[in-house]
Amino acid sequence: MTGPDRRSVLAGLAFAGGSLAAGGARAAMPRNLRENPAFLVPPFQLGVASGDPSPDGFVIWTRLAPEPLQPGGGMIMAPVPVAWEVAADEAFRAVVAKGEAIAHPELAHSVHVEVSGLQPDRPYWYRFRCGTERSLPGRGATLPLPGAPKDRVRFAVAGCQHYEEGHYTAWRRIAEEPVDFVFHYGDYIYEGRDTGAGSRLMNGRPFSPLRRHLGDEIYSLDDYRRRYALYKSDHDLQAAHAAAPWFVSFDDHEIDNNWANDRDQDGTAPEVFAFRRAAAMQAYYEHMPLRRSSMPQAGHMQMFRRARFGDLLDAHFLDTRQYRSPQARGGKDGPIDAEVRSAQRTMLGDRQEAWLFEGLARSDARWQMIAQQVMLMQLAVTPAGGGAAGYSMDQWSGYLHSRERLLGHIADRRLTNVVTVSGDAHRHFAGDLLRDGGEGRPVAAEFLATSITSGSDGVGEGDVYHRSVAGNACLKAITDRRGYVLCDVTRDTWRGDLKVLDSVMRPDGRLSTFASFVAERGRPGLLRS
């Protein structure tokens, strides 16, 4: 076996909980291993994925689930060997790495292989085999070497994909885009119960679910596993995973709406909520192409991390849920007060903030991206009937001390190459980042991607919320439609296209570009393209 092949095999088996002895002989394998499993139904029903690329490799993922919605995914409760291979060509004529991993029932028979020993800055193809069954292939890619010349990076920003509220057409369109990676900002699943077949109100408009959740609100590990299986059974979502590597982050609905650190929105005792959070994090890890460094430990996941795209882009991926203080004002939106401004409250926590600040300060890349979950723009929302403006307590506007520290760090160090991407708000937003009070020149720019389906078809620019934020000088564009943001980063410009679908309640909605904006390196803020 060649050096890269052997390193990849060892890495894959070590990650999966097994090992190889010298010369490739098995050692210390599970005693109850099922060597040659047979399936009546193919086990790769949930597709494949790659993620967290590096210059010499990436993670490849799958989960064995011949009957995804049945207990245990329809799998026998025993560890199973899964073979994998990575090729330099789509036809798999030039296999450059291969090995065997163990799909453990403790991890829902998921497999996370950290492939290494590959060449930088190029695509690869991968696939899995279990017994006589073989998965469809996926496409991964490695990053450029740190500091290597790089002229262009293209990627999509997307998330918020409520299963009941539309087709995943946007994921199919992303799969068709020639992107280097996808950033999923969060809300991969929604934790709520089946809302039933009848009509209900959504933002004041009648709505009937297109598809249905199964059962009640989810709490247990089995509940979360089945919800992920339901979502990942969608073929458009599978296509987007197979088309390019992903960087993933969770937001709130992967656990519970608006959770913060050790608190949920219902007032559950923290020591009780900890059980739910641990179950949800395990299920999240089981279904995402994440490295072992993100494997949950004692109800915590290491999710903030960094990626370098040569000399062009440094990407800082944040976690705005695990370390934040509980929302001010009990989470109820409203005016800014002393609690909102309190220096005792944090969005990132001390360790993550120090990590981010240090990374921003030492970067020598042409561009820097802060990829995170919730809006950094400070939008004043004026009530329809008049009165004092209110602010979201779940976004950075509810954590003004943390927001001011971040923007102050960027401004004080004259970092004129920072763009942030985010989501959660179920609308497209594009705008400038101004310091508290909205005065002075822009510090950076923000693209907030709308939802894949959450909010269903929306109403474009005609909703009440659109009118309520129209007076914010920092805001350049907003629309209540579904879609994603397509970013095209070159040496001196960062272009963001706000992609929208005319409908997600019918299949194959028409895709168009609502608006495009450009940030110029050395000139913070957005210009209409």
Side-chain angles (χ1 to χ4, degrees), residues 219 256-260 262-273 276 327 330:
Y219 286 88
D256 182 49
N257 181 51
N258 284 356
W259 72 279
D262 61 353
R263 308 295 176 89
D264 69 3
Q265 65 174 351
D266 302 315
T268 305
E271 63 270 22
V272 175
F273 175 61
R276 184 183 189 184
Q327 290 88 345

Coordinates of all heavy atoms in Angstrom, one line a residue, residues 219 256-260 262-273 276 327 330:
Y219 N -37.7 15.2 21.2 CA -36.9 15.3 22.5 C -35.8 14.3 22.6 O -34.8 14.6 23.1 CB -37.8 15.2 23.7 CG -38.7 16.5 23.9 CD1 -39.9 16.6 23.3 CD2 -38.2 17.5 24.7 CE1 -40.7 17.7 23.5 CE2 -39.0 18.7 24.9 CZ -40.2 18.8 24.3 OH -41.0 19.9 24.5
D256 N -33.8 23.4 19.8 CA -35.1 24.0 20.2 C -35.0 25.5 19.9 O -34.0 26.1 20.0 CB -35.3 23.8 21.7 CG -36.6 24.4 22.2 OD1 -37.7 24.0 21.6 OD2 -36.7 25.1 23.2
N257 N -36.2 26.0 19.4 CA -36.2 27.4 19.0 C -35.7 28.3 20.1 O -36.0 28.3 21.2 CB -37.7 27.8 18.7 CG -37.8 29.2 18.2 OD1 -37.1 29.6 17.3 ND2 -38.7 30.0 18.9
N258 N -34.7 29.2 19.6 CA -34.2 30.3 20.4 C -33.4 29.8 21.7 O -33.3 30.6 22.6 CB -35.2 31.3 20.8 CG -35.6 32.2 19.6 OD1 -35.0 32.1 18.6 ND2 -36.6 33.0 19.9
W259 N -32.9 28.6 21.7 CA -32.1 28.1 22.8 C -30.9 28.9 22.9 O -30.3 29.5 21.9 CB -31.8 26.6 22.8 CG -30.8 26.2 21.7 CD1 -31.0 26.0 20.4 CD2 -29.4 25.9 22.0 NE1 -29.8 25.6 19.8 CE2 -28.8 25.6 20.7 CE3 -28.6 25.9 23.1 CZ2 -27.5 25.2 20.6 CZ3 -27.3 25.6 22.9 CH2 -26.7 25.2 21.7
A260 N -30.3 29.1 24.1 CA -29.1 29.9 24.4 C -28.3 29.2 25.5 O -28.8 29.1 26.6 CB -29.5 31.3 24.7
D262 N -27.3 27.0 28.1 CA -28.0 25.9 28.8 C -29.5 26.2 29.0 O -30.1 25.5 29.9 CB -27.3 25.7 30.1 CG -27.3 26.9 31.1 OD1 -27.8 28.0 30.6 OD2 -26.9 26.7 32.2
R263 N -30.1 27.1 28.2 CA -31.5 27.4 28.5 C -32.3 27.2 27.2 O -31.8 27.5 26.1 CB -31.6 28.9 28.8 CG -30.7 29.4 30.0 CD -31.1 28.7 31.3 NE -30.2 29.0 32.4 CZ -30.4 30.1 33.2 NH1 -31.4 30.9 33.0 NH2 -29.5 30.4 34.1
D264 N -33.5 26.7 27.4 CA -34.4 26.6 26.2 C -35.4 27.8 26.4 O -35.4 28.6 27.3 CB -35.1 25.3 26.1 CG -36.1 25.0 27.3 OD1 -36.3 25.8 28.1 OD2 -36.6 23.8 27.3
Q265 N -36.4 27.8 25.4 CA -37.3 28.9 25.5 C -38.5 28.7 26.4 O -39.4 29.6 26.6 CB -37.9 29.2 24.0 CG -38.7 28.0 23.5 CD -39.4 28.4 22.2 OE1 -39.3 29.5 21.7 NE2 -40.0 27.4 21.5
D266 N -38.6 27.5 27.0 CA -39.8 27.1 27.8 C -39.5 27.2 29.3 O -40.4 26.9 30.1 CB -40.2 25.7 27.4 CG -40.5 25.5 26.0 OD1 -41.2 26.4 25.4 OD2 -40.1 24.5 25.4
G267 N -38.3 27.6 29.7 CA -38.1 27.7 31.1 C -37.7 26.4 31.7 O -37.8 26.2 33.0
T268 N -37.3 25.4 30.9 CA -37.0 24.1 31.5 C -35.7 24.2 32.4 O -34.8 25.0 32.0 CB -36.7 23.1 30.3 OG1 -37.8 23.0 29.5 CG2 -36.3 21.7 30.9
A269 N -35.6 23.5 33.4 CA -34.4 23.6 34.3 C -33.2 23.2 33.4 O -33.2 22.2 32.7 CB -34.6 22.6 35.4
P270 N -32.1 24.0 33.6 CA -30.9 23.7 32.7 C -30.4 22.3 32.8 O -30.0 21.7 31.8 CB -29.9 24.7 33.3 CG -30.7 25.8 33.8 CD -31.9 25.2 34.4
E271 N -30.5 21.6 34.0 CA -30.0 20.3 34.1 C -30.9 19.3 33.4 O -30.4 18.2 33.0 CB -29.8 19.9 35.6 CG -31.1 19.9 36.4 CD -31.5 21.2 37.0 OE1 -30.9 22.3 36.6 OE2 -32.2 21.2 38.0
V272 N -32.1 19.6 33.2 CA -33.0 18.8 32.4 C -32.8 19.1 30.9 O -32.7 18.1 30.1 CB -34.5 19.0 32.8 CG1 -35.4 18.2 31.9 CG2 -34.7 18.6 34.3
F273 N -32.8 20.3 30.5 CA -32.5 20.7 29.1 C -31.2 20.1 28.6 O -31.1 19.8 27.4 CB -32.5 22.2 29.0 CG -32.2 22.7 27.6 CD1 -33.0 22.3 26.5 CD2 -31.0 23.5 27.4 CE1 -32.6 22.8 25.2 CE2 -30.7 23.9 26.1 CZ -31.5 23.5 25.0
R276 N -31.7 16.9 26.6 CA -32.2 17.1 25.2 C -31.1 17.7 24.3 O -31.0 17.3 23.2 CB -33.4 18.1 25.3 CG -34.1 18.3 23.9 CD -35.2 19.4 24.0 NE -35.9 19.4 22.7 CZ -36.9 20.3 22.5 NH1 -37.3 21.1 23.4 NH2 -37.5 20.3 21.3
Q327 N -31.3 35.4 26.1 CA -31.7 36.6 25.4 C -32.2 37.6 26.4 O -32.9 37.3 27.5 CB -32.9 36.3 24.4 CG -32.4 35.6 23.2 CD -32.4 34.1 23.3 OE1 -32.5 33.6 24.5 NE2 -32.3 33.4 22.2
G330 N -36.3 38.5 28.2 CA -37.0 37.3 28.1 C -37.1 36.9 26.6 O -38.0 36.0 26.3

